[in-house]
Amino acid sequence: MGKKFLIGCGGLLTVGMVLIVLGGVWLMTGPEGGVRTKSDMEAYAIEYLAEHEILTDSEELIAYYDVTMSCDGSEAAILTNERVIYHKNGLNDSMYLVDVDDIQYRKESFAGDIFEIYSTDGKLMKVEIALMNQGETFGNALRRAVAAKQKAESQ
């Protein structure tokens, strides 16, 4: 009875280790996650943005964060020179940078970087960037893009 138990446990341990290794290989062979900038975008993301016509002709991409584990573009936070966009389930929630009134930021231990973006008319957009995914880069780009757009509009 004891031998059968040990063999069973050893088998389960082996299967578990194989699954962990295969999962690691799968994650490492796919597109790299995290906040991306125009200069280091993955090809799948550029294709997804074009295919789904998310950006207008006058918009220039500044930062992009794919929320999904599979990096398929179906849920993403997108920053352009004109808008901040949250794309999810085929729908876009967007806010023009010129209309941004306030950006609140907090870092949560398990969630990561959280940005609450408020418009002048009270609209709220929340962007959550998982831990170790360069949330600070997105935040810096967002604040700079808002300041630049609002400065340009006031002149």
Side-chain angles (χ1 to χ4, degrees):
M1 181 70 166
K3 266 187 171 178
K4 288 180 184 179
F5 179 75
L6 290 175
I7 291 171
C9 287
L12 285 175
L13 184 61
T14 302
V15 169
M17 292 301 288
V18 167
L19 290 175
I20 289 171
V21 169
L22 289 175
V25 169
W26 175 74
L27 285 173
M28 294 179 134
T29 58
E32 187 179 327
V35 171
R36 312 295 283 186
T37 62
K38 182 179 178 181
S39 63
D40 69 347
M41 286 289 288
E42 295 275 0
Y44 85 89
I46 295 168
E47 290 168 14
Y48 188 93
L49 290 171
E51 183 180 314
H52 292 86
E53 300 175 347
I54 295 173
L55 307 183
T56 65
D57 291 338
S58 63
E59 284 180 298
E60 187 173 318
L61 185 69
I62 296 173
Y64 175 89
Y65 174 65
D66 190 330
V67 178
T68 66
M69 288 290 292
S70 58
C71 289
D72 64 9
S74 62
E75 184 174 356
I78 305 155
L79 176 63
T80 73
N81 60 322
E82 295 180 14
R83 299 181 293 161
V84 59
I85 307 158
Y86 201 90
H87 176 77
K88 184 176 181 178
N89 299 327
L91 301 172
N92 295 322
D93 182 23
S94 67
M95 186 181 300
Y96 285 98
L97 300 180
V98 72
D99 295 332
V100 172
D101 183 49
D102 188 28
I103 301 168
Q104 293 293 313
Y105 168 78
R106 68 181 180 276
K107 188 172 201 82
E108 293 190 357
S109 334
F110 296 107
D113 298 286
I114 299 172
F115 301 92
E116 293 173 347
I117 308 159
Y118 295 88
S119 71
T120 52
D121 64 359
K123 180 179 177 179
L124 167 65
M125 179 183 294
K126 184 171 91 169
V127 174
E128 212 173 292
I129 304 203
L131 287 171
M132 299 184 297
N133 277 276
Q134 300 90 33
E136 191 173 333
T137 299
F138 191 90
N140 291 339
L142 174 63
R143 285 186 285 275
R144 290 180 66 88
V146 167
K149 189 66 173 179
Q150 290 179 350
K151 181 179 179 183
E153 290 291 319
S154 70
Q155 292 179 351

